Amino acid sequence: MRISYSLLLCLLSLPFWANAQLNPVKFERYTLSNGLKVILHEDHSTPIVVVSVMYHVGSKNENPERTGFAHFFEHLLFEGSENVGRGEFDKYMSGAGAYNNANTSQDRTYYYEILPSNQVPLALWLESERMLHAKVETKGVETQRQVVKEERRQRIDNQPYGRFQEEMATRLFKVHPYRWTTIGSMEHLDRATEADYVNFYKDFYVPNNSVLTIAGDFSPAAIKPMIQKYFGTIPQSIKPVYRPTVVEPPLGNEIRDTVYDRVQLPGILMAYRIPAQNDPDYYALDMLNRLLSGGQSSRIYKSVVDEQELAVSAGSFSFSLEHPGATIIYGIANLGIETSKVEAALNAEIEKVKNELVPELEFQKLRNQLEVDLVDQNSTLEGIAENLCTFEIMYGDANLINTDINRYLKVTRQDLQRVAQKYLNNNNRVVLYWLPEQKQ
């Protein structure tokens, strides 16, 4: 059976946008007198609840002489509190049949628990203890220093290409705190005093710098008094929470360098400056990344890896950040292939999107893939809880969980070409050749 081209385009553009419109995430938002923002998403489909707290503090809020504190505190605040003994946090969770974890970025720190709905008071108590009574003392600090150092060894120092974020950041940013990574400096952590740690906790782990989100099987009428009981009396910060305001100047010219590492295959990494996540151009650039690198049928993978066989791996991705960040385009060369050939092939794909409009059929496929991904992010309680927190704390609008897709759907084929021409330029990038140590 043959389908006309226009009908095919129509069919391609239908399914997931309709589904996204029909299933908005419903929630209630309010603020306690101490500034803590609360978001409630009621869903009785399973007897599970996600309790999460996001703090508006990441590595960009750190003192340049004390980097790594935000990530360090992600670990430290599992040490216990005045009313929770060392090591007991996880015991409480496992005893309740719950799972808990945390993560840190350049912009925020996130803690969450997934637990049976009858255990919600336990999670609220533990998170309130973390916010008000956490133990920031020498024994816990020393323990977690060693944990973070081991994490660095495993994830960065002993991983092929593991240092690429650090090497890129120091060249891509000169004045903005994005110039260091979330893992920070082990030397800074070693030199820090107990007072440094205590002050960081007092400055950022305060109710007026956080969002509490509860998603799942609960009654708002029953849970609101609990929230007030556990969080309502926690005092807010007595001084404004520090927010960096420095603006990174334009790069101005291409920066090229070589890094030698314990790797078997050479690689190339190219970083381009891009706007912050709430900028309209970011959405076009994110779609452009998906076009170039959204799976094995994407342009870069298909051309550089499959057809030309120049690389064993190649792709692109963006850092979605509160302030202007970066898009990374990379390739790991195949055995015996010169890095310059991989660079030339990547550059050729970049030039294509700068000089040619994306065909309509490919563009519609891209939109459908994007819509699937965005809908999938809100298909679980964990995803809903984190997205509500992120949109509220980063942009002051939790309802972006429902409307963010509209920003993508406004992007046109012409926008993809325009942002490629505007941002994917040689004078707006850092190029690193990542070579085996024996070539040094």
Side-chain angles (χ1 to χ4, degrees):
M1 181 178 68
R2 298 181 63 185
I3 300 177
S4 71
Y5 181 77
S6 59
L7 177 59
L8 181 60
L9 289 180
C10 181
L11 291 172
L12 280 169
S13 64
L14 279 178
F16 292 102
W17 171 233
N19 189 44
Q21 286 284 70
L22 290 172
N23 297 286
V25 175
K26 297 180 181 180
F27 63 91
E28 179 184 355
R29 177 194 178 282
Y30 65 99
T31 305
L32 300 186
S33 60
N34 58 9
L36 176 66
K37 296 175 182 177
V38 180
I39 302 175
L40 305 178
H41 167 67
E42 189 178 0
D43 181 343
H44 299 288
S45 57
T46 58
I48 299 295
V49 173
V50 178
V51 175
S52 63
V53 179
M54 183 174 286
Y55 295 88
H56 199 173
V57 55
S59 58
K60 80 170 186 297
N61 301 89
E62 296 165 346
N63 180 335
E65 300 301 318
R66 292 292 182 266
T67 64
F69 267 46
H71 171 253
F72 182 81
F73 265 80
E74 174 204 320
H75 289 264
L76 183 64
L77 295 196
F78 283 95
E79 278 288 310
S81 71
E82 291 182 12
N83 300 302
V84 180
R86 294 188 73 231
E88 289 185 4
F89 197 105
D90 287 336
K91 288 182 180 179
Y92 277 118
M93 287 288 99
S94 60
Y99 171 80
N100 69 103
N101 213 330
N103 56 69
T104 309
S105 77
Q106 292 92 334
D107 301 312
R108 89 296 179 278
T109 304
Y110 183 61
Y111 302 87
Y112 64 98
E113 293 83 39
I114 305 169
L115 66 170
S117 52
N118 64 347
Q119 296 294 331
V120 171
L122 173 64
L124 293 176
W125 172 61
L126 289 172
E127 287 298 344
S128 68
E129 283 291 307
R130 198 194 313 266
M131 187 180 292
L132 179 61
H133 292 136
K135 283 186 177 178
V136 184
E137 56 188 17
T138 302
K139 188 172 184 178
V141 166
E142 291 301 329
T143 300
Q144 295 306 321
R145 273 181 182 151
Q146 300 311 313
V147 171
V148 171
K149 287 178 181 180
E150 181 60 26
E151 181 179 338
R152 179 186 173 87
R153 283 190 287 268
Q154 290 184 2
R155 296 187 178 183
I156 298 176
D157 297 338
N158 296 328
Q159 283 290 329
Y161 320 100
R163 301 194 335 266
F164 93 88
Q165 286 193 45
E166 289 182 337
E167 298 289 351
M168 272 299 186
T170 58
R171 293 166 175 83
L172 202 58
F173 300 99
K174 298 302 180 185
V175 298
H176 195 279
Y178 286 160
R179 67 184 184 272
W180 60 82
T181 59
T182 55
I183 196 74
S185 164
M186 299 303 102
E187 291 78 11
H188 289 178
L189 294 179
D190 285 338
R191 289 203 302 266
T193 66
E194 187 171 321
D196 291 327
Y197 292 107
V198 170
N199 289 335
F200 190 89
Y201 177 66
K202 289 181 177 178
D203 288 344
F204 296 107
Y205 279 79
V206 289
N208 52 309
N209 192 45
S210 55
V211 173
L212 166 68
T213 295
I214 304 173
D217 180 34
F218 65 89
S219 162
I223 210 166
K224 286 181 180 180
M226 296 184 203
I227 293 171
Q228 180 62 35
K229 171 186 174 182
Y230 289 113
F231 292 92
T233 59
I234 300 177
Q236 65 181 16
S237 175
I238 59 175
K239 62 180 181 180
V241 177
Y242 168 67
R243 304 268 183 257
T245 58
V246 62
V247 176
E248 183 73 28
L251 203 58
N253 58 276
E254 182 182 67
I255 297 173
R256 300 182 74 90
D257 209 343
T258 301
V259 176
Y260 295 95
D261 194 8
R262 290 173 293 175
V263 296
Q264 297 299 313
L265 297 173
I268 178 169
L269 299 109
M270 304 185 293
Y272 297 83
R273 293 262 197 87
I274 64 169
Q277 188 179 357
N278 64 343
D279 188 291
D281 279 359
Y282 171 84
Y283 293 86
L285 284 161
D286 191 38
M287 290 186 70
L288 188 62
N289 264 328
R290 294 168 186 264
L291 176 78
L292 293 173
S293 186
Q296 295 188 359
S297 64
S298 62
R299 289 190 174 192
I300 285 179
Y301 193 95
K302 185 177 179 181
S303 173
V304 182
V305 178
D306 278 352
E307 296 175 356
Q308 301 182 65
E309 298 183 344
L310 296 174
V312 296
S313 177
S316 66
F317 59 91
S318 291
F319 289 105
S320 54
L321 299 171
E322 187 176 15
H323 294 178
T327 280
I328 309 292
I329 299 177
Y330 69 92
I332 307 300
N334 225 328
L335 188 65
I337 300 297
E338 290 295 325
T339 316
S340 58
K341 289 186 178 181
V342 180
E343 180 184 0
L346 294 174
N347 285 335
E349 293 305 318
I350 294 169
E351 290 305 310
K352 281 183 186 178
V353 294
K354 291 167 72 173
N355 297 324
E356 304 169 11
L357 272 180
V358 176
E360 183 67 34
L361 190 62
E362 188 178 17
F363 182 63
Q364 292 298 339
K365 176 185 174 184
L366 175 66
R367 281 166 57 102
N368 284 340
Q369 290 174 337
L370 176 71
E371 290 164 20
V372 170
D373 289 345
L374 293 177
V375 171
D376 187 59
Q377 288 178 15
N378 295 328
S379 64
T380 65
L381 290 176
E382 303 100 288
I384 289 172
E386 184 166 7
N387 282 333
L388 285 169
C389 274
T390 299
F391 285 128
E392 181 62 35
I393 209 161
M394 301 276 278
Y395 309 113
D397 183 8
N399 197 47
L400 282 170
I401 196 170
N402 295 313
T403 62
D404 198 48
I405 193 171
N406 296 336
R407 300 186 181 189
Y408 284 103
L409 293 174
K410 287 180 181 178
V411 174
T412 65
R413 295 187 299 150
Q414 290 76 15
D415 288 327
L416 297 184
Q417 185 177 33
R418 177 182 58 79
V419 296
Q421 293 171 347
K422 182 176 180 180
Y423 298 101
L424 303 186
N425 291 312
N426 289 4
N427 63 0
N428 186 45
R429 74 177 184 176
V430 174
V431 179
L432 290 183
Y433 273 37
W434 208 277
L435 302 181
E437 285 180 340
Q438 56 265 34
K439 290 193 174 185
Q440 188 168 9

Short mmCIF file of all heavy atoms in Angstrom, two decimals, residues 76-82 84-87 89 129 133-136:
data_model
loop_
_atom_site.label_atom_id
_atom_site.label_comp_id
_atom_site.label_asym_id
_atom_site.label_seq_id
_atom_site.Cartn_x
_atom_site.Cartn_y
_atom_site.Cartn_z
N LEU A 76 27.84 14.12 52.68
CA LEU A 76 27.92 14.38 54.12
C LEU A 76 26.56 14.30 54.80
O LEU A 76 26.46 13.84 55.95
CB LEU A 76 28.56 15.75 54.36
CG LEU A 76 28.78 16.14 55.82
CD1 LEU A 76 29.78 15.20 56.49
CD2 LEU A 76 29.27 17.59 55.92
N LEU A 77 25.52 14.74 54.11
CA LEU A 77 24.22 14.82 54.76
C LEU A 77 23.49 13.50 54.84
O LEU A 77 22.31 13.45 55.20
CB LEU A 77 23.35 15.89 54.09
CG LEU A 77 23.91 17.32 54.24
CD1 LEU A 77 22.85 18.35 53.91
CD2 LEU A 77 24.45 17.57 55.64
N PHE A 78 24.19 12.41 54.55
CA PHE A 78 23.70 11.09 54.90
C PHE A 78 24.37 10.59 56.18
O PHE A 78 24.12 9.46 56.62
CB PHE A 78 23.97 10.08 53.76
CG PHE A 78 23.01 10.21 52.61
CD1 PHE A 78 23.34 10.99 51.51
CD2 PHE A 78 21.80 9.57 52.63
CE1 PHE A 78 22.48 11.12 50.45
CE2 PHE A 78 20.92 9.69 51.57
CZ PHE A 78 21.25 10.47 50.46
N GLU A 79 25.23 11.40 56.78
CA GLU A 79 25.97 11.01 57.98
C GLU A 79 25.08 10.96 59.23
O GLU A 79 25.43 10.34 60.22
CB GLU A 79 27.12 11.98 58.22
CG GLU A 79 28.36 11.69 57.41
CD GLU A 79 29.09 10.45 57.91
OE1 GLU A 79 29.35 10.34 59.12
OE2 GLU A 79 29.39 9.58 57.07
N GLY A 80 23.96 11.65 59.20
CA GLY A 80 23.09 11.67 60.37
C GLY A 80 22.84 13.08 60.86
O GLY A 80 23.25 14.06 60.25
N SER A 81 22.13 13.17 61.97
CA SER A 81 21.76 14.48 62.52
C SER A 81 21.74 14.38 64.04
O SER A 81 22.15 13.38 64.63
CB SER A 81 20.37 14.89 62.00
OG SER A 81 19.38 14.07 62.60
N GLU A 82 21.26 15.41 64.68
CA GLU A 82 21.15 15.39 66.14
C GLU A 82 20.27 14.24 66.62
O GLU A 82 20.47 13.72 67.72
CB GLU A 82 20.59 16.73 66.63
CG GLU A 82 21.55 17.90 66.46
CD GLU A 82 20.96 19.19 67.00
OE1 GLU A 82 19.92 19.11 67.70
OE2 GLU A 82 21.52 20.27 66.73
N VAL A 84 19.33 11.53 64.42
CA VAL A 84 19.55 10.34 63.58
C VAL A 84 21.02 9.97 63.67
O VAL A 84 21.89 10.75 63.26
CB VAL A 84 19.16 10.61 62.10
CG1 VAL A 84 19.39 9.36 61.26
CG2 VAL A 84 17.72 11.07 62.00
N GLY A 85 21.31 8.81 64.21
CA GLY A 85 22.70 8.41 64.39
C GLY A 85 23.43 8.15 63.08
O GLY A 85 22.80 7.96 62.03
N ARG A 86 24.76 8.11 63.17
CA ARG A 86 25.57 7.85 61.97
C ARG A 86 25.22 6.48 61.39
O ARG A 86 25.19 5.48 62.10
CB ARG A 86 27.06 7.89 62.30
CG ARG A 86 27.56 9.26 62.70
CD ARG A 86 29.08 9.29 62.84
NE ARG A 86 29.73 9.25 61.52
CZ ARG A 86 30.68 8.40 61.19
NH1 ARG A 86 31.08 7.48 62.06
NH2 ARG A 86 31.24 8.44 60.00
N GLY A 87 24.95 6.47 60.09
CA GLY A 87 24.61 5.23 59.42
C GLY A 87 23.16 4.81 59.55
O GLY A 87 22.74 3.82 58.93
N PHE A 89 20.41 6.58 58.72
CA PHE A 89 19.52 7.08 57.67
C PHE A 89 19.13 5.94 56.74
O PHE A 89 17.96 5.68 56.48
CB PHE A 89 20.21 8.21 56.89
CG PHE A 89 19.28 9.05 56.07
CD1 PHE A 89 18.93 10.33 56.47
CD2 PHE A 89 18.73 8.57 54.89
CE1 PHE A 89 18.06 11.11 55.71
CE2 PHE A 89 17.87 9.33 54.13
CZ PHE A 89 17.54 10.61 54.53
N GLU A 129 15.21 16.64 59.32
CA GLU A 129 16.44 16.53 60.09
C GLU A 129 17.65 16.93 59.25
O GLU A 129 18.57 17.60 59.72
CB GLU A 129 16.62 15.08 60.58
CG GLU A 129 15.76 14.71 61.75
CD GLU A 129 16.17 15.43 63.03
OE1 GLU A 129 17.36 15.37 63.39
OE2 GLU A 129 15.31 16.08 63.66
N HIS A 133 19.08 19.80 61.33
CA HIS A 133 19.95 19.27 62.39
C HIS A 133 21.09 18.41 61.89
O HIS A 133 21.62 17.59 62.63
CB HIS A 133 19.12 18.41 63.36
CG HIS A 133 18.14 19.20 64.18
ND1 HIS A 133 16.84 18.78 64.40
CD2 HIS A 133 18.28 20.37 64.83
CE1 HIS A 133 16.23 19.67 65.16
NE2 HIS A 133 17.08 20.64 65.44
N ALA A 134 21.48 18.54 60.62
CA ALA A 134 22.52 17.66 60.09
C ALA A 134 23.81 17.80 60.89
O ALA A 134 24.16 18.88 61.37
CB ALA A 134 22.79 17.99 58.62
N LYS A 135 24.52 16.68 61.04
CA LYS A 135 25.80 16.69 61.74
C LYS A 135 26.91 17.11 60.78
O LYS A 135 27.26 16.38 59.86
CB LYS A 135 26.11 15.31 62.32
CG LYS A 135 25.34 14.97 63.58
CD LYS A 135 25.81 13.64 64.16
CE LYS A 135 25.08 13.33 65.46
NZ LYS A 135 25.49 12.01 66.02
N VAL A 136 27.42 18.30 61.01
CA VAL A 136 28.55 18.78 60.21
C VAL A 136 29.72 18.87 61.17
O VAL A 136 30.00 19.91 61.77
CB VAL A 136 28.23 20.15 59.58
CG1 VAL A 136 29.38 20.59 58.69
CG2 VAL A 136 26.93 20.07 58.77
#
